[in-house]
Amino acid sequence: MTVAEETEVTLAVGQHKELPAVPDDASGRRPEQEMHAILEIGVRSRPGPQHTGAPAPGTGPALAEVLIVDTSRSMLHPAAKLHAAKDATAAAVRMLPDGTAFAVLSGRFDATLVHPGPGRPVLAVAGPAEREAAERAVRILDADGGTALGTWLDLARRLLKDHPAPVKHVLLLTDGRNEHDHRAAMALDTALDACEGRFVCDAWGIGDDWDAELLLRITRRLHGRAHAVRAESELTSAYEELMAGLLGTAVPELRIRLTPTPGTVIRQVKQVVPAEQDLPAVPAGSGGRAVEYVTRAWGDEVRHFQVVLTADPAGRETDEDLQLAAVEVVLPGFGRPVRLPAPQPVLVRWTDNPRDASRQHPGVRRHERYQQAGAAVARAYRAWLRGPDGSAMADRALTQALALADELGDAQLRDALRRIEATPGTGRIRPGLKDVDWQHLILSSALTTPPARTTGGGAYRAGAGDASGTPGDGSGVPADGAPAARGAAPGSPRRAADGRPGNGGEGPPDGDGNVRPGPGLPAPRADGADGPAGDEAAVPPGLPAPPTAGAPANPGAATPAPLGTDARVSPGSGVPVRSGAVGRVSPEAGGSAPPGVGVPVRPGGGAPAPHTPDDFLPPEADDRPSPESEDPPPPEAESPVPAGTGVAPSVLPGGPGAPEGSRAPAVPALPVRADGLVECPGCRWLGPAESVYCGGACGRRLREMSE
C-alpha cells in the first residue's frame, strides 16, 4: 500500500462576520466578543496508478498496523464473540499488502504479543508467509483473565514508536469495561497521555456489555472513531471495510495553521464533523503568532472544524470588514506532491445594528443542536436507569432528542433514536430495552453530519428547521455520490466530498513539493458583495464561483498582498490590494445579505416530522449526576416548559394524559419591536423576527414552524 500521489486539499471558511460593538460595561471596559467560524477541509485523491500492494520505490510502507484482540474471560460468554474476533482479525491480516508492518496483540490483565511472537519487540512485515503465520497464531487464541486497556495501548505504543511509517494505526476490540484498571501496570489515563499523538486508534465494541463512553474517551484522545456491531457475524465485514479505508489513506496528517492579527486571541479549535474532537495545538514552524492544530489520517473525505476567536472592538472602526486571523492548511514533511489551498481570512465587521449582530452562522448553530441532542440522549439514559421513577423524564428527553434529529435532518440519528422508541411519534421509551441498546445510541449520538445537499444549481441547505432560515450554511457540504469517509461505520449514510473549489491559479511547489494555488482571497460572491464566499454560504466544492461585474476572469492572475499584511479588498472584485489599514476590507460593495425568511426545510418536503423541540431548555454543563446518586427531581423541575408560555406539561408529546402521537401545542407569537427584532422571554436575547429558535443561552423555540 502506498499513499496516494495525486492528492488535493480544499479549504472553505463559513461565518457571519457581524459582532456587536457593545458599549462600555460598568467597569468602563468593552468586553471581548467571540467570533465563530466553520472551516470545511476536504481531501481528494486524483485518479492515478492502481495500488500494486508494494511500496513505491524509495518510500517504504505507508501503514504500520497493530491489531488488539480482547481475550478476557468474558469473551467466552458467549463463545461466538471470540470466534468472531478471530475471524475478523484474520481477515484484516489477509488484507495487509506486502511490506506493511503489523502486529497482533492479546489483551487481558496485561498485553501479549501474539505475532510476531513474545519477546520480539519489533513489528512483522507482511508477506505471504507472515500473514499465514499470524493467522495461525490468531486461530489458537483462548480467553481468560480480566480487562485492563491501558496496558494494551501502551504495548502498541512501544511497538510503533520508532517505526517510520507515516500512518500508524491501532485497531482495538473489546467486549467489556475497563474493570481492572486499578490492577494494571499502567492505568488508562496514563497510557492515553503517553499515546496521544503517537498513533490513531479506532475502538470497537462487541457483545452486550461494552461501554460507549469508554470507547469515545479513547478515540477522542487518539484521533480515531468508535464503532460497535450489533451481531457478532457483522464484525468481519466491518473490519474489512475499515481496513480498505486505511489502505486508501491519502495523507497521514494535516495541520490547520491560524495566524491571528494583533489583539485577536484563539480560544478554541475543534473538529465538529464527523464527530466532536478537540485538537492539540503545536507551535508553528514559522514562529511568530501562528499556531497549528494537528489532524491525522485523512482518506478521501471532508471534515468540519469550529474556530473560536475573541477580539476587543475598542478603537476599531464599525461597518468595515477587518481581518481577525489567516487560515492555512499545511502538510509538514510529507515528501509527495499535494495541492494545498490558498490561505483564507476570518473576518469581523463591528456593528451597532443589533439585528446584524444577533445572527449566527448555520454551521455553528447546527453543532450546538448536536450537542443538545447528545445531552438529551445522556439524560434519557440516566433516567431510564432509575426504572419507573425516571420513565417520565426519559420520555421527555427522548422526545427532545427526536425533535433535534428531525430539525438536523440526520436520518442516522433519527433511526437510532427510533430503535428505542415504543411507537413512532409517541416519544416514549420502548419496554424491554437492554443496556447495550443505549450504548449503541450513545455512539450514534456522537456522530455528526453536514447538512444535506439539494439538487441542481449547486445550492446547499442547512438541516431541516435551521434557525437562520438561510438556504446555505457555508459549511461546504460534501457532494453527492462521493466515496465514504475513512473508517465510516458500515451502512452509514454519510459520504465524503468529491468536489473541489477552484483555486484561481497555481503557484510553485514549496519545499516539500506541495503545490499551492496562486495568490488571492476567495472568489467573489455571486451577489457582488465583498468578503469571502463563505460569509453567507461557502462556494460549494467543485463549483466555480460566479464572477461579479467587472471582476477579472481569473482572480488568481492578480498579485494581491498576502494574508496577514495590510490588505484591502477593492469593491466588487474580491482581490486585495495594498492599503494602510491593517486587516481592513472595504465595505463599499455592500454588506452581508439579510437572513432568509426563516422557514425551515424538512427533508423531502411535505408535512413536518412528528416531533418539534418545543421549549426544551438546553442541557446544563454540570447536568451529569451518576445514576446511583441522582435523586428524582420534584415534578415542577421535570417540566421542560418555561414559565409564561401558558403550555401545560400534560399536553407535551408523550406526557401524562397526552394522546398517542400527539403534537406539541402552539407557541404564542412574540411581539415584534419597532426595530424589527423579537425578545426571548427566557434570556432576553434579541434577534430577527423570523427566528424560529432563540440564539441565546436558553435556545427555546420562539415561534411556530411553517408547515
Side-chain angles (χ1 to χ4, degrees):
M1 167 244 180
T2 60
V3 174
E5 298 183 10
E6 296 287 338
T7 304
E8 182 172 9
V9 180
T10 61
L11 168 66
V13 178
Q15 61 171 133
H16 277 323
K17 299 177 296 185
E18 292 80 9
L19 285 180
V22 294
D24 292 346
D25 59 18
S27 65
R29 299 177 53 193
R30 290 173 178 253
E32 291 183 331
Q33 299 292 329
E34 286 190 349
M35 170 57 69
H36 295 251
I38 298 294
L39 311 181
E40 180 226 70
I41 299 176
V43 172
R44 181 185 179 184
S45 300
R46 295 181 172 185
Q50 295 294 318
H51 295 306
T52 62
T59 64
L63 174 67
E65 179 70 21
V66 175
L67 299 158
I68 303 179
V69 184
D70 186 339
T71 54
S72 62
R73 186 180 297 108
S74 60
M75 288 289 285
L76 294 175
H77 305 285
K81 290 187 293 187
L82 184 59
H83 294 320
K86 293 179 181 182
D87 290 344
T89 303
V93 168
R94 288 194 296 269
M95 292 182 67
L96 296 174
D98 290 351
T100 302
F102 77 101
V104 181
L105 308 185
S106 167
R108 300 181 182 178
F109 287 122
D110 54 10
T112 302
L113 186 59
V114 175
H115 186 83
R120 296 180 59 187
V122 294
L123 297 174
V125 178
E130 286 290 342
R131 287 191 292 266
E132 184 177 345
E135 184 170 351
R136 286 198 304 269
V138 168
R139 292 296 180 190
I140 62 175
L141 284 175
D142 198 1
D144 196 13
T147 303
L149 299 178
T151 59
W152 309 358
L153 292 171
D154 186 60
L155 178 55
R157 177 191 64 81
R158 287 184 275 129
L159 290 169
L160 291 169
K161 68 176 182 177
D162 295 325
H163 200 277
V167 178
K168 300 177 183 180
H169 183 263
V170 172
L171 178 53
L172 183 153
L173 174 73
T174 183
D175 77 325
R177 302 164 190 263
N178 198 34
E179 295 174 338
H180 301 96
D181 196 53
H182 62 288
R183 296 176 52 183
M186 177 172 285
L188 179 58
D189 284 338
T190 304
L192 290 176
D193 290 339
C195 295
E196 187 171 12
R198 305 285 184 175
F199 55 80
V200 173
C201 178
D202 286 337
W204 284 75
I206 188 173
D208 292 338
D209 197 34
W210 50 273
D211 184 353
E213 290 296 340
L214 175 64
L215 301 186
L216 290 169
R217 177 179 161 202
I218 293 171
T219 55
R220 284 169 176 165
R221 287 289 300 276
L222 303 183
H223 290 246
R225 300 179 190 177
H227 314 264
V229 290
R230 294 184 180 273
E232 288 84 358
S233 59
E234 299 173 354
L235 187 63
T236 296
S237 60
Y239 265 35
E240 290 173 341
E241 183 173 343
L242 185 142
M243 291 302 300
L246 279 171
L247 298 177
T249 298
V251 291
E253 176 182 306
L254 288 176
R255 296 189 178 191
I256 301 170
R257 179 180 293 170
L258 289 177
T259 306
T261 56
T264 300
V265 178
I266 303 171
R267 295 299 183 189
Q268 187 180 40
V269 178
K270 64 180 178 180
Q271 178 181 288
V272 294
V273 172
E276 182 172 336
Q277 185 176 80
D278 288 329
L279 301 182
V282 296
S286 59
R289 295 188 303 273
V291 180
E292 293 179 352
Y293 296 84
V294 182
T295 69
R296 302 187 189 279
W298 286 73
D300 282 12
E301 60 180 306
V302 168
R303 303 181 195 174
H304 293 184
F305 303 87
Q306 183 174 356
V307 174
V308 182
L309 308 173
T310 59
D312 187 350
R316 304 298 181 94
E317 297 185 42
T318 59
D319 299 323
E320 289 197 25
D321 287 356
L322 307 175
Q323 180 176 308
L324 290 178
V327 183
E328 297 178 76
V329 179
V330 296
L331 180 60
F334 187 44
R336 294 190 177 102
V338 175
R339 189 182 303 275
L340 295 175
Q344 295 197 30
V346 178
L347 304 174
V348 66
R349 177 178 292 179
W350 301 108
T351 178
D352 294 321
N353 186 330
R355 181 186 179 103
D356 290 341
S358 67
R359 291 186 297 158
Q360 188 179 41
H361 186 268
V364 176
R365 184 63 171 174
R366 184 174 180 83
H367 178 56
E368 289 181 355
R369 287 306 198 197
Y370 271 114
Q371 290 179 317
Q372 293 173 8
V377 168
R379 288 199 302 276
Y381 175 50
R382 291 197 303 270
W384 176 82
L385 288 172
R386 288 164 42 195
D389 291 340
S391 60
M393 181 177 288
D395 288 347
R396 283 194 293 274
L398 174 62
T399 300
Q400 182 190 14
L402 281 161
L404 289 164
D406 287 340
E407 179 186 341
L408 289 163
D410 189 329
Q412 178 268 341
L413 177 57
R414 185 166 51 239
D415 291 346
L417 288 164
R418 286 178 176 167
R419 281 179 175 266
I420 69 167
E421 188 181 20
T423 304
T426 63
R428 291 175 176 168
I429 304 295
R430 175 168 59 85
L433 286 177
K434 298 180 180 179
D435 189 86
V436 70
D437 297 319
W438 289 97
Q439 301 306 317
H440 281 286
L441 177 58
I442 291 169
L443 282 191
S444 295
S445 66
L447 297 175
T448 56
T449 64
R453 182 183 182 185
T454 60
T455 56
Y460 290 75
R461 65 173 174 84
D466 181 79
S468 71
T470 53
D473 74 342
S475 60
V477 180
D480 295 336
R486 182 200 70 80
S492 171
R494 296 178 292 112
R495 311 294 287 177
D498 66 347
R500 307 182 299 272
N503 58 28
E506 181 178 305
D510 60 19
D512 293 324
N514 303 321
V515 179
R516 285 198 182 275
L521 284 174
R525 293 167 40 139
D527 59 5
D530 60 353
D535 171 53
E536 295 298 334
V539 177
L543 297 176
T548 56
N554 180 11
T559 308
L563 290 176
T565 63
D566 300 353
R568 179 186 294 271
V569 170
S570 56
S573 69
V575 181
V577 295
R578 302 292 290 179
S579 166
V582 176
R584 183 181 300 157
V585 181
S586 172
E588 288 86 352
S592 303
V597 296
V599 179
V601 181
R602 291 280 177 188
H611 302 280
T612 57
D614 294 83
D615 301 307
F616 285 98
L617 296 177
E620 297 294 337
D622 59 351
D623 182 23
R624 294 185 178 273
S626 65
E628 295 79 13
S629 63
E630 185 179 24
D631 294 326
E636 59 271 14
E638 293 188 2
S639 173
V641 182
T645 61
V647 180
S650 62
V651 297
L652 284 171
E660 294 288 325
S662 61
R663 293 288 306 274
V667 175
L670 295 175
V672 180
R673 302 179 355 154
D675 57 6
L677 303 178
V678 293
E679 181 175 336
C680 174
C683 65
R684 303 303 178 189
W685 171 81
L686 294 177
E690 62 269 20
S691 299
V692 178
Y693 299 98
C694 171
C698 72
R700 71 185 63 189
R701 201 180 66 156
L702 300 179
R703 68 177 182 86
E704 284 299 308
M705 295 181 180
S706 300
E707 296 296 327

